[in-house]
Every structure is written in C-alpha cells, then in structure tokens.
Amino acid sequence: MHNETNIPQTLQNPVDGSPMQLVWHDEFDGDTLDSTKWNLYDRMWSKNRVITTTDEKNITLQDGKVIMRTWKEDGIYTSHKTLTTFDRMSFRYGYLEIRAMVPFSRGAFPAFWLQSAWQHRSVDYMTEVDVFEVYKAGYVEGTLHKWYLKDPVKGPHFRHDWNTPLSFTFPESQWASLSHEYHLWGFLWDPKTIRLTVDGKTFATYDITDAGDFQEGLGVGDDRTGMGGFQDPMIINFTNWVGSGFRDKSWVVGDGTELPLTFTVDWIRLYQSPTAGEVFDDRG
C-alpha cells in the first residue's frame, strides 16, 4: 500500500529539469477500481483469439496494485477489457509515468498506450501513441498512429497510417527476469515533441509539429502529413494481449509462454507544468 505523504507532489521535467506538479494519479490502494478515473471498455477492436471480461481472474486490485492476467482455458485466451480512462478523463501535455511489472515471456503482448479522446478531436482521425508494446524477447516498441474511423467512437477504421517505430531492448542478461521486475515507463508530451522513457531515460523522440511525418502506412494515397491531431487531449489504455508473431514469427503463445501472463501496475502519475497542460473530466 502507498503512503500518500510519500507521493512526490512535484517532479523535474526529465529533459530540461523544469518543475512539474502532480495533477492526477492513482495508487490503486482501494478494493475496486475508481470508477471516476477508470472504465473497462474494449479499445482493441481486433479480438485475435482473445475473449475479454471484467472478471476478477482477469483484473483485480491487490496490495495497492492493479493486476491484469491473461489465461488459457479450453484453448481460449481470456484477458480483461481495456483498462482505460475512456469517457472518464483525458489530458493534454505533461509527463505521465507508471511503475509496472510487464510480462516478457514468449507470446506476451502487453501495452501501455494512449488515444485521442473522441470528445476533443480537432481533426478527422484518431491518434494513438504506444508508449510500449512487447513484440519479442526483451524488446519494446513505441509508435505513433493515425486512425481514420467509420464511427468516431466505435470504429472500425477505413484507413490506418503510422510512423517508423522506435524501440528499446533490455540487456540480454535481464531477459530471464524481466517478467518479474518493476520498471518505470513514461510519456513526456509538449506542443512540439513526444518522448517515451524507460527508467527515466528517453528511448524514443517524435516531432509532432507539421514538420513531423509518417514513413509507413496502410492508408491509400501519399497524404500523410499534418500532425495537428497529436495536440488533441488523450485517454490512457492498458491491455494484456497475446502475441501474433508480428515482429518475430516465433513470438506466439505456446509452450514457451508463462501463463497466466501477468501485467501489474503499481501506480500511475501525471505531472504538468504550472504554465501548460490540462486535465479534462469526460464523464459528461
């Protein structure tokens, strides 16, 4: 459990050292999720052999942590519905950080990611920022996406563009223990740049001015410029999926997978500059 008096109320910006203030957080100290902050609502529109539930076996609070588990039962994988601030809270700018124990066994596909809130979009697409997705041993990727949706809330998409992913690989000597270690994962956002961090160090930097551009895509045509959507307020998502072999064909659920896949978040904290940043109540 967490002692509120020990939660840092201020933090130095990881890049320039400027002061930031705690504006939103959850220490997961209760018996149930705080429904003013969180929703269990699927944000993964492709099921990929996974059934999602709100059952305690898939998501529960215990000892001041939220624990998300993926099981296999009768050949079917079950995970939790997306743990999300969708229709609860969104924010613009700041430093969002979690302390988490992330599954890295073969076939794991956990993710900490954000999407632009439908209530606040200024463009005709939904943005997505993957702080991390696990795709192979000791390896995570961060990526920016644009999703052009048939329905602004429910989807699905008719076009999808993304930029070149940036990655981080832990030293191979850590791979065997990674699933049982806590690390800090962060998202630093200002009007010009998105930076992704692990243990306080930046591993990915993205230009979100109009000079920034996407290098890959599944969309049609060549019009991939314009980064205005990455100024729109974003919601927070956690998922704990199974791997498809997208980056590594051997990275699929099988005999080498440590089940249940357990994704544990100790806390989540959002800090913002006193002169920039907003938090929105989307419960309307």
Side-chain angles (χ1 to χ4, degrees):
M1 307 293 281
H2 303 92
N3 185 337
E4 289 284 334
T5 61
N6 294 331
I7 300 169
Q9 299 299 300
T10 60
L11 188 78
Q12 287 187 327
N13 183 303
V15 172
D16 62 19
S18 61
M20 309 184 85
Q21 298 175 346
L22 183 68
V23 296
W24 184 91
H25 70 110
D26 200 340
E27 309 301 310
F28 301 112
D29 283 334
D31 296 326
T32 59
L33 288 169
D34 184 342
S35 63
T36 68
K37 297 177 178 177
W38 300 104
N39 199 350
L40 290 174
Y41 184 93
D42 279 327
R43 303 304 299 158
M44 296 281 280
W45 292 324
S46 174
K47 292 306 180 185
N48 191 26
R49 297 179 296 153
V50 176
I51 293 176
T52 57
T53 82
T54 59
D55 295 347
E56 287 190 4
K57 68 179 181 180
N58 293 122
I59 185 164
T60 188
L61 268 64
Q62 183 178 335
D63 299 327
K65 302 171 179 61
V66 60
I67 303 174
M68 298 163 277
R69 296 185 176 98
T70 298
W71 299 87
K72 184 178 183 181
E73 300 174 5
D74 299 324
I76 302 297
Y77 295 98
T78 65
S79 187
H80 61 93
K81 292 184 181 293
T82 307
L83 177 61
T84 178
T85 64
F86 174 84
D87 277 357
R88 299 293 187 267
M89 166 271 197
S90 58
F91 71 100
R92 181 178 8 238
Y93 308 142
Y95 183 56
L96 181 69
E97 188 174 59
I98 66 171
R99 182 175 185 264
M101 188 159 55
V102 177
F104 274 88
S105 63
R106 185 179 299 277
F109 181 35
F112 169 33
W113 51 298
L114 302 100
Q115 296 169 304
S116 56
W118 66 269
Q119 297 94 331
H120 308 292
R121 287 183 201 137
S122 63
V123 293
D124 62 349
Y125 56 87
M126 176 182 69
T127 61
E128 176 185 334
V129 179
D130 301 318
V131 181
F132 71 76
E133 295 178 301
V134 172
Y135 280 121
K136 53 186 178 181
Y139 171 96
V140 300
E141 282 185 7
T143 323
L144 307 187
H145 300 255
K146 294 179 185 178
W147 297 91
Y148 294 82
L149 306 178
K150 295 179 180 179
D151 179 280
V153 178
K154 298 178 181 179
H157 66 282
F158 63 87
R159 171 176 168 174
H160 171 211
D161 297 335
W162 73 96
N163 67 340
T164 301
L166 299 177
S167 65
F168 176 83
T169 303
F170 285 93
E172 191 169 354
S173 60
Q174 292 182 247
W175 290 1
S177 60
L178 271 181
S179 295
H180 307 283
E181 296 176 356
Y182 281 98
H183 291 275
L184 299 176
W185 301 91
F187 166 76
L188 180 61
W189 181 21
D190 63 44
K192 294 183 177 180
T193 309
I194 284 173
R195 294 178 174 89
L196 310 179
T197 68
V198 58
D199 296 327
K201 298 180 180 179
T202 300
F203 74 89
T205 301
Y206 293 106
D207 180 356
I208 57 168
T209 68
D210 277 347
D213 195 5
F214 285 1
Q215 305 301 316
E216 302 183 26
L218 291 178
V220 294
D222 296 321
D223 181 16
R224 298 175 188 161
T225 59
M227 301 294 281
F230 292 95
Q231 309 298 332
D232 292 343
M234 296 191 195
I235 62 171
I236 303 162
N237 300 307
F238 293 99
T239 46
N240 190 24
W241 225 243
V242 296
S244 64
F246 174 58
R247 291 296 190 202
D248 178 348
K249 291 183 179 179
S250 70
W251 200 257
V252 293
V253 171
D255 293 340
T257 304
E258 183 181 326
L259 291 171
L261 295 170
T262 303
F263 185 0
T264 302
V265 179
D266 186 17
W267 48 254
I268 180 168
R269 297 167 185 166
L270 173 62
Y271 294 84
Q272 291 179 332
S273 164
T275 59
E278 299 170 276
V279 176
F280 299 88
D281 184 343
D282 293 336
R283 288 174 292 172

